[in-house]
Amino acid sequence: MRNPALLFATAIALVSAPLAAQSPTFDTARISQHIQTLGSDAYEGRAPNTAGETKTVAYLIDQFQKAGLQPGGTIVNGKRGWTQPVPLLQSEWAAAPHLEMTINGQRTPLTQGNEIAARSPVNGDKSVALNNLPMVFVGYGVKAPERGWDDYKGQDLRGKVLVMLVNDPDFEGGEGDFGGKAMTYYGRWTYKYEEGARQGAAGVLVIHETEPASYGWATVKNSNTNTMFDIVRANPGAEHPALEGWIQRDLAQKIFAASGLDFEAMKAAARKKDFQPVALKAGLTAHGNARTEVITSQNVVGILPGTTRPDETVIYTGHWDHLGVGQPDANGDRIYNGALDNASGISHIIEQARAFAREPRTQRSIVFLAVTAEEKGLLGSEYYAANPLYPLGKTVAVLNTDSMGVFGRAKDFSISGTAKLELLDMLVAEGQKLGRTFTPDRHPETGGFYRSDHFTMAKVGVPAISFKSGQDLVNGGIARGEAISKEYTAKRYHQPDDEFSPEWRFDGIAADATLLHALGRNLANSNVWPNWSQDSEFRATRDQTAGERGGAQPAATAPGERG
């Protein structure tokens, strides 16, 4: 339940701001045009370091200028430009890698993209050369001492290939304390690779299952067999094993059966705290050469400076990139247009900027940040968080938009994942004024909190949410909203069919933009510094910068519980 005292305190804090301007009107034709343009074949899927990036960055700069923004990027020769250069390690297979397993003594060739999806190396090497390395099943691959959980039990796994389940140890019940169906970071494939590297593994293979992964094999194939990127690290091998990849469940079952094991029985064993790693009667051979180089991509940044406290910022974010040109689908289409993901979110950023530019300037600055390489692991926002253009301690909040609703207005709205923070209470209060209700993430098991660019900002303490359009549609209700979501995930998410449709409606995005505008405007015209809940893992990091905010005024004493 929400805390009524909190909402009252929040309302008082917002009332203390200057009287807000009338809500702007968001032009649905403009929103549509941005999505059509950025999601067209001409933009080639907007992959970093391609002609698609060049066109996208140019389009964003042009639109930010026309909207009335000032350059908000890196300072060069005393002046801010429109971009923040983001150095990235780029890696792609020079040719399809040679992959095979020896299963109970029998050689089994594997086809890249079919039984296995092996990522091009980002551990600093230019090649992969694994020769029949022993494979070990390590359950969910989780080491979480604060939760009393260790799937490794101190075993020496150096130089081996670790086979792991996706999601958390308690996704299907069991003894784990990981939030039940709600995924924690331990359930994300990114964590599993990182932990594998810490264990000294030569490789990590995640077993794909649609429900716990929250997407089908097509998404895994398309996301993992094309060009890989990572931020430039001093010691990339500490974060990445030599081989990272996924395998199909059918292949995993075959390996387990040849090892005298039942796959479902081993999954059940992995849900218990006393699980021990199990050696498999299988070995992995992987050979491939990669073309690697450090490239420079771009975050695009515009700003509307504040009138009285320009050093304090409210940031609207969204990622401009998608998967580019990759493996063809059944129709031979190789362009991953990313019209919904995330041309829709970027269209919102552009029109949000236009709305603010037409209004009286706010007291605090408002920054519009279109980041690169989200699809490669939130890299553009991670780089910004490590190299902020504006002080993190004086960043009031981050409002992220990713894959917005294009099927009409919704009665409700949500955020990705579950989190307790005063920023959410303020969003809920603004929604109520517009006659809309907050619905907690209907599918926290998908790990949405860890899959959008607000997460990298949360890790450095900044209050941040990723807004989600509601699924209780005015036309069709929850049933239609859920059906649309399932269809998109199965047939379009990270697939070439994520293309603009003339059947889409944009009044829903306009309504969401109105809500997000009201929240951002109130934040930018107040003295409020929203914070995380006392028990949030991000609270301590935020509190370390409290001195930068001087006489910081909290939104309330503690965020309310939501359920």
Side-chain angles (χ1 to χ4, degrees):
M1 294 180 62
R2 291 194 293 275
N3 183 335
L6 168 66
L7 292 179
F8 177 78
T10 299
I12 291 297
L14 294 181
V15 167
S16 67
L19 290 176
Q22 292 296 314
S23 297
T25 299
F26 287 90
D27 189 334
T28 56
R30 284 186 182 275
I31 294 170
S32 174
Q33 187 57 56
H34 296 316
I35 298 175
Q36 288 185 66
T37 300
L38 292 169
S40 69
D41 283 358
Y43 281 69
E44 300 177 359
R46 306 188 309 280
N49 197 35
T50 66
E53 167 167 3
T54 302
K55 288 184 178 181
T56 302
V57 169
Y59 183 83
L60 288 173
I61 293 173
D62 179 61
Q63 291 299 319
F64 279 1
Q65 286 178 315
K66 290 177 178 176
L69 300 187
Q70 297 179 23
T74 301
I75 297 174
V76 178
N77 297 326
K79 287 187 174 182
R80 286 199 182 274
W82 284 104
T83 65
Q84 178 188 37
V86 180
L88 297 173
L89 172 65
Q90 174 179 293
S91 175
E92 59 184 338
W93 294 115
H98 170 74
L99 302 162
E100 68 174 55
M101 288 184 182
T102 302
I103 302 176
N104 202 14
Q106 299 294 316
R107 289 182 58 191
T108 303
L110 305 175
T111 302
Q112 171 78 322
N114 288 355
E115 306 91 349
I116 188 171
R119 298 160 66 90
S120 183
V122 288
N123 68 331
D125 294 340
K126 293 182 177 295
S127 63
V128 172
L130 310 183
N131 295 301
N132 199 29
L133 293 186
M135 299 172 65
V136 181
F137 176 58
V138 293
Y140 287 86
V142 171
K143 185 174 182 178
E146 79 284 1
R147 298 169 191 256
W149 198 274
D150 182 5
D151 282 327
Y152 299 97
K153 303 298 190 294
Q155 292 194 23
D156 185 0
L157 299 168
R158 288 175 293 181
K160 298 179 180 180
V161 176
L162 309 184
V163 180
M164 305 180 183
L165 298 164
V166 70
N167 216 304
D168 291 321
D170 63 351
F171 176 73
E172 297 180 77
E175 298 176 356
D177 180 23
F178 295 85
K181 284 289 186 181
M183 184 190 290
T184 68
Y185 188 62
Y186 293 113
R188 290 285 290 150
W189 52 267
T190 48
Y191 164 79
K192 296 175 189 294
Y193 295 151
E194 291 164 4
E195 188 59 49
R198 286 190 283 269
Q199 296 293 326
V204 170
L205 295 175
V206 178
I207 301 170
H208 174 261
E209 293 184 277
T210 296
E211 186 177 359
S214 80
Y215 37 72
W217 179 256
T219 297
V220 171
K221 170 186 173 182
N222 298 334
S223 300
N224 291 274
T225 59
N226 62 4
T227 306
M228 294 291 107
F229 292 88
D230 193 19
I231 61 171
V232 176
R233 304 178 189 274
N235 182 17
E239 301 281 342
H240 299 281
L243 184 74
E244 301 172 331
W246 294 67
I247 58 174
Q248 292 260 38
R249 174 194 168 105
D250 289 349
L251 176 59
Q253 287 179 307
K254 182 177 180 180
I255 296 168
F256 278 57
S259 304
L261 304 168
D262 177 76
F263 180 70
E264 291 298 329
M266 292 310 300
K267 281 185 65 177
R271 296 196 289 269
K272 297 182 178 179
K273 289 185 177 181
D274 62 359
F275 171 82
Q276 295 278 343
V278 179
L280 301 171
K281 293 182 180 179
L284 177 70
T285 295
H287 289 268
N289 295 316
R291 293 187 289 264
T292 66
E293 62 176 322
V294 174
I295 62 95
T296 300
S297 189
Q298 305 289 336
N299 291 335
V300 184
V301 195
I303 188 172
L304 292 171
T307 57
T308 58
R309 283 165 287 136
D311 58 333
E312 300 174 6
T313 56
V314 175
I315 304 181
Y316 286 88
T317 59
H319 73 92
W320 59 254
D321 67 301
H322 199 58
L323 300 181
V325 179
Q327 296 291 323
D329 65 4
N331 298 319
D333 190 352
R334 300 182 62 224
I335 297 177
Y336 291 70
N337 302 82
L340 195 60
D341 182 15
N342 186 35
S344 65
I346 288 297
S347 73
H348 163 257
I349 296 293
I350 295 170
E351 291 310 302
Q352 195 67 254
R354 190 186 312 278
F356 273 107
R358 291 180 175 180
E359 293 178 348
R361 293 290 175 268
T362 53
Q363 296 171 18
R364 289 165 160 166
S365 297
I366 304 179
V367 174
F368 301 88
L369 174 62
V371 296
T372 182
E374 187 269 358
E375 301 291 7
K376 304 302 180 181
L378 316 181
L379 303 182
S381 58
E382 182 175 354
Y383 184 82
Y384 180 92
N387 304 274
L389 297 172
Y390 304 94
L392 297 177
K394 290 192 174 184
T395 299
V396 182
V398 167
L399 305 176
N400 185 68
T401 45
D402 193 333
S403 299
M404 301 189 74
V406 293
F407 299 97
R409 295 171 63 97
K411 301 173 188 176
D412 64 341
F413 59 91
S414 189
I415 63 170
S416 293
T418 56
K420 290 188 292 182
L421 68 166
E422 292 160 352
L423 182 60
L424 175 56
D425 288 295
M426 298 169 109
L427 176 66
V428 171
E430 289 304 319
Q432 289 177 335
K433 295 176 187 177
L434 296 171
R436 298 181 65 181
T437 58
F438 173 76
T439 300
D441 191 338
R442 298 179 190 276
H443 298 285
E445 70 274 11
T446 66
F449 188 84
Y450 312 100
R451 290 167 60 176
S452 289
D453 290 301
H454 71 295
F455 175 54
T456 59
M457 299 297 285
K459 286 197 296 183
V460 293
V462 178
I465 56 174
S466 190
F467 180 87
K468 287 181 68 174
S469 301
Q471 287 195 331
D472 187 0
L473 300 177
V474 172
N475 178 19
I478 296 172
R480 179 169 176 258
E482 283 276 3
I484 288 171
S485 177
K486 289 179 181 178
E487 192 271 348
Y488 173 75
T489 300
K491 298 182 179 180
R492 308 184 196 285
Y493 176 61
H494 285 199
Q495 299 178 56
D497 278 346
D498 184 359
E499 296 181 307
F500 179 87
S501 170
E503 297 180 1
W504 285 354
R505 292 179 52 185
F506 303 98
D507 55 337
I509 295 181
D512 292 340
T514 299
L515 170 54
L516 289 166
H517 187 87
L519 176 59
R521 184 174 58 200
N522 284 335
L523 286 167
N525 275 329
S526 75
N527 296 318
V528 168
W529 292 98
N531 206 340
W532 301 91
S533 63
Q534 289 287 352
D535 60 348
S536 169
E537 63 267 45
F538 310 118
R539 175 74 181 230
T541 303
R542 183 60 167 178
D543 287 348
Q544 289 172 8
T545 64
E548 298 179 38
R549 296 184 286 279
Q553 177 184 346
T557 55
E561 298 287 343
R562 303 200 173 279

